Amino acid sequence: MAQNDNKKRVVVIGAGAAGMSCASTLANHPNKFDITLIDSAPQTGGQATTIPLDAAKHGGATWLNDGVQGGSPIFRHTFHFFEKYGYEPHPVQLQVSFGKGRDSFFTNVFPSPLVDTYSAEISKLGRVLRWIKRLMPILGLMPIKTMLRLFRFSTDFGLKMVLPLIALFLGTGNQTPNVACVLLERLFDDPQMRLWEYDEDMLMQNRPQMYTFPNLGEFYHDWKGDLVAKGVRVLLETEADVLDRKNKQVKLRLRSVKDGQQERPNEAGKGTVEDFDELILCCPADEALSMLGAHATWRERYVLNGVKFFNDLTITHTDSEYFNSLFETRYKEELCGKGSSETRQEQIAFAQQMPPRCRTDGWEGFAPMYFTHSFDSDPDKIEMGFDCTHYQHQFREAIGEDALPPEPERHVYQTIFLNEDHKHLWTWEGIDKDKIIGEKWWHQFGHRWQHYLRVVPGMMFINGKNNTLYAGAWTMVNMHEIACISGMAAAYRLGAVYEPFDDFAEDVFSKYLLVSHGVRYKRRT
């Protein structure tokens, strides 16, 4: 590719949501930047992957998003990128099912005996959330487990209601007791981060509107094609090592990784060495630190080492018998609480629709989509599940409006096994191996309270130093939206323009930029 000496040579490592949004923002300035985008995977998208399905076996759907599946209305930047390439998210009224059995089950669809048992503590949590907001510097960084003890919540309320809720929706998994209270407060109260409103009766809002994502494999393929057309050099199945970061330049060794054959960096003649003006690391913090090696500064080592990662396993399958043994998947009279108000009576009547009927935005009747259950031997550890047939829109489109759901054995399920250090608890051996569609390991970071004491406030002290910037959901909270914003913020730091399209989105971007980069966003007049 012909080089323009006036252009800044930028290399972006990682082609997930952060790297793609970063490269895309830089590519809007072809006269200012020469961009190279690198990823070790054979495709773009990072954890946003899609697998093919046999429509005849799986209710008419031909694909499944098996990593990132959806988000809330606050995902404005994500939706904006979808729209740019002719894709759209699809609304869905979210139904969840927590716990197994009358004494442990609750849902956001109808009242349960558990909700009745802890009604006073649900109300009390609403008051505590307000105190966390008022005393954010103190209470905000406190681990949830400490907050629950400090305000004298019962152990069972924390284990059966609070921890599963946070674990499921923020992807904090079995580290949830160590999560900072700021995330609990933001989940319910922050207009720019909340996934739903706090409900003083059932804790979680009744069937909030969320969105399922389009075919992410196709979307990221089209996004990559547009970047290439704009002159971005995309190198997939390629790894990089930092050789030097002196004299305002970054020297990298690039090496190919194809068909399982990896070129060893110390082997003579293997790989190529290239110089860049700026390095943007849009990969997990531990990978970034490994890439920097001995060239990492003490500040970078301090901040990046503060991000704790865990290896989780997702098994996609059609074993309805196994899935039903773990989770409450159907309405049962014994799971229903008191119809003590008109609202509750309406909720119960809705849930009693048997069998559920398909709607474009969900289901008429109890058809849960997200699930958790805890282990009797270790109740602060959970397993998670998804009924993808109930959740993802392509299944509903395949069967049509007002139709009945497919037979349980034609549903596509996912069971999420958290933290391989707890593998002795996993129930994965109960899945019929003949009904497994696929298995994937994920490298997920934990939102421990130390993350918000050390990593998030520390980012501004390493971003932009030594010609290096960082982006990724791990810089703040595990959301596709944050990943997109972080990539755009890194591009902004290099002089790319943030194109405002929505007041809400612009405000969120400006706050992220201030927190993670210590830079005030300059609004265009």
Side-chain angles (χ1 to χ4, degrees):
M1 179 167 45
Q3 296 283 337
N4 182 333
D5 291 340
N6 294 322
K7 292 183 180 181
K8 186 173 288 187
R9 295 163 297 176
V10 182
V11 59
V12 180
I13 309 292
M20 293 291 283
S21 59
C22 179
S24 185
T25 305
L26 292 169
N28 292 331
H29 306 278
N31 296 324
K32 293 177 66 175
F33 304 106
D34 260 327
I35 309 155
T36 298
L37 178 63
I38 296 173
D39 200 292
S40 60
Q43 73 284 319
T44 56
Q47 294 190 358
T49 55
T50 304
I51 59 175
L53 296 178
D54 184 339
K57 293 181 180 178
H58 304 127
T62 59
W63 57 273
L64 174 81
N65 288 329
D66 67 331
V68 180
Q69 298 196 41
S72 78
I74 67 172
F75 282 38
R76 304 294 177 83
H77 295 89
T78 298
F79 297 168
H80 188 62
F81 280 120
F82 287 162
E83 181 182 354
K84 181 177 180 180
Y85 296 103
Y87 294 83
E88 62 177 334
H90 294 257
V92 61
Q93 292 184 356
L94 187 66
Q95 299 190 29
V96 298
S97 172
F98 295 99
K100 180 72 174 175
R102 179 181 173 87
D103 294 334
S104 298
F105 167 81
F106 79 101
T107 177
N108 70 329
V109 182
F110 60 91
S112 70
L114 193 72
V115 167
D116 291 335
T117 298
Y118 296 114
S119 60
E121 296 196 67
I122 292 173
S123 179
K124 178 180 175 179
L125 183 62
R127 299 191 296 271
V128 171
L129 290 173
R130 292 192 288 272
W131 277 108
I132 293 173
K133 185 174 184 178
R134 292 181 189 128
L135 302 175
M136 185 58 68
I138 301 171
L139 295 182
L141 293 177
M142 180 182 295
I144 289 178
K145 63 182 180 183
T146 304
M147 179 275 293
L148 291 171
R149 288 198 300 266
L150 177 66
F151 288 96
R152 305 188 71 178
F153 287 99
S154 67
T155 301
D156 276 357
F157 175 67
L159 291 175
K160 294 180 179 180
M161 298 198 73
V162 178
L163 298 186
L165 189 73
I166 303 299
L168 185 65
F169 287 99
L170 288 179
T172 55
N174 289 339
Q175 283 298 307
T176 304
N178 301 315
V179 168
C181 286
V182 61
L183 284 188
L184 178 64
E185 190 275 331
R186 293 290 187 259
L187 179 70
F188 286 110
D189 286 342
D190 189 339
Q192 296 175 343
M193 244 186 92
R194 71 182 174 202
L195 299 182
W196 54 74
E197 295 180 1
Y198 163 79
D199 188 288
E200 64 180 7
D201 184 22
M202 297 203 303
L203 181 58
M204 180 182 169
Q205 181 182 357
N206 180 254
R207 294 181 291 125
Q209 180 168 292
M210 303 287 276
Y211 289 85
T212 62
F213 288 169
N215 186 313
L216 291 174
E218 293 182 356
F219 163 68
Y220 272 98
H221 178 271
D222 291 351
W223 197 356
K224 172 200 165 189
D226 181 55
L227 294 182
V228 171
K230 291 180 177 179
V232 176
R233 181 172 61 144
V234 179
L235 303 177
L236 300 178
E237 295 182 281
T238 301
E239 293 185 347
D241 297 295
V242 175
L243 300 179
D244 201 356
R245 288 192 298 171
K246 295 179 180 178
N247 302 319
K248 295 186 178 181
Q249 279 197 335
V250 178
K251 187 183 294 292
L252 298 183
R253 176 186 284 115
L254 309 182
R255 46 198 168 84
S256 175
V257 182
K258 291 187 178 180
D259 301 322
Q261 301 298 316
Q262 179 172 329
E263 298 173 346
R264 291 179 295 174
N266 59 349
E267 188 174 347
K270 295 296 185 180
T272 60
V273 176
E274 296 189 23
D275 293 332
F276 298 92
D277 298 308
E278 301 288 347
L279 169 65
I280 306 180
L281 292 167
C282 300
C283 53
D286 54 352
E287 292 181 17
L289 194 56
S290 176
M291 202 176 305
L292 291 172
H295 302 285
T297 66
W298 70 267
R299 286 188 178 90
E300 287 171 325
R301 287 194 295 270
Y302 175 77
V303 174
L304 300 181
N305 272 323
V307 188
K308 181 68 173 176
F309 287 89
F310 302 90
N311 294 320
D312 302 337
L313 172 65
T314 294
I315 298 183
T316 304
H317 61 92
T318 59
D319 193 341
S320 58
E321 184 177 352
Y322 162 82
F323 199 83
N324 291 334
S325 72
L326 292 180
F327 309 112
E328 297 292 357
T329 61
R330 298 179 179 87
Y331 177 82
K332 303 172 186 175
E333 289 292 341
E334 64 266 26
L335 297 177
C336 190
K338 300 174 182 177
S340 54
S341 67
E342 183 177 346
T343 298
R344 281 187 163 211
Q345 291 169 9
E346 291 173 355
Q347 292 167 348
I348 294 171
F350 173 90
Q352 287 175 329
Q353 169 70 49
M354 298 282 283
R357 294 275 178 174
C358 181
R359 298 285 182 262
T360 56
D361 64 346
W363 297 85
E364 186 78 21
F366 185 54
M369 304 158 185
Y370 286 14
F371 303 81
T372 70
H373 82 93
S374 300
F375 300 100
D376 292 338
S377 61
D378 203 345
D380 67 345
K381 308 294 189 301
I382 68 168
E383 282 181 350
M384 303 191 303
F386 298 93
D387 186 331
C388 301
T389 300
H390 280 165
Y391 181 50
Q392 294 191 27
H393 63 274
Q394 69 272 21
F395 293 94
R396 298 194 302 276
E397 290 175 350
I399 65 174
E401 180 84 8
D402 206 38
L404 302 179
E407 300 81 3
E409 59 271 16
R410 298 182 69 201
H411 282 223
V412 178
Y413 306 101
Q414 286 189 328
T415 310
I416 319 296
F417 303 96
L418 301 168
N419 189 353
E420 64 177 337
D421 292 338
H422 302 147
K423 193 182 295 185
H424 62 285
L425 296 171
W426 293 0
T427 64
W428 58 338
E429 292 183 353
I431 303 175
D432 185 339
K433 291 181 173 51
D434 293 333
K435 297 180 179 180
I436 293 177
I437 299 172
E439 299 182 11
K440 283 189 181 179
W441 285 89
W442 308 98
H443 195 53
Q444 305 280 17
F445 82 95
H447 303 69
R448 305 176 308 156
W449 64 271
Q450 297 96 323
H451 191 85
Y452 295 91
L453 181 65
R454 175 174 172 179
V455 179
V456 174
M459 290 307 302
M460 69 172 69
F461 299 103
I462 63 173
N463 261 322
K465 309 297 182 184
N466 301 297
N467 301 87
T468 304
L469 290 155
Y470 297 88
W474 61 267
T475 61
M476 189 164 288
V477 64
N478 189 23
M479 291 182 181
H480 189 276
E481 176 71 359
I482 294 297
C484 288
I485 293 171
S486 70
M488 302 172 77
Y492 181 88
R493 285 293 306 276
L494 296 184
V497 173
Y498 173 81
E499 297 287 350
F501 61 92
D502 176 288
D503 289 344
F504 178 91
E506 188 176 19
D507 194 32
V508 176
F509 175 83
S510 68
K511 290 183 177 178
Y512 176 90
L513 187 68
L514 181 62
V515 171
S516 194
H517 292 265
V519 171
R520 292 191 178 277
Y521 169 67
K522 297 180 181 178
R523 296 182 183 271
R524 300 170 68 185
T525 57

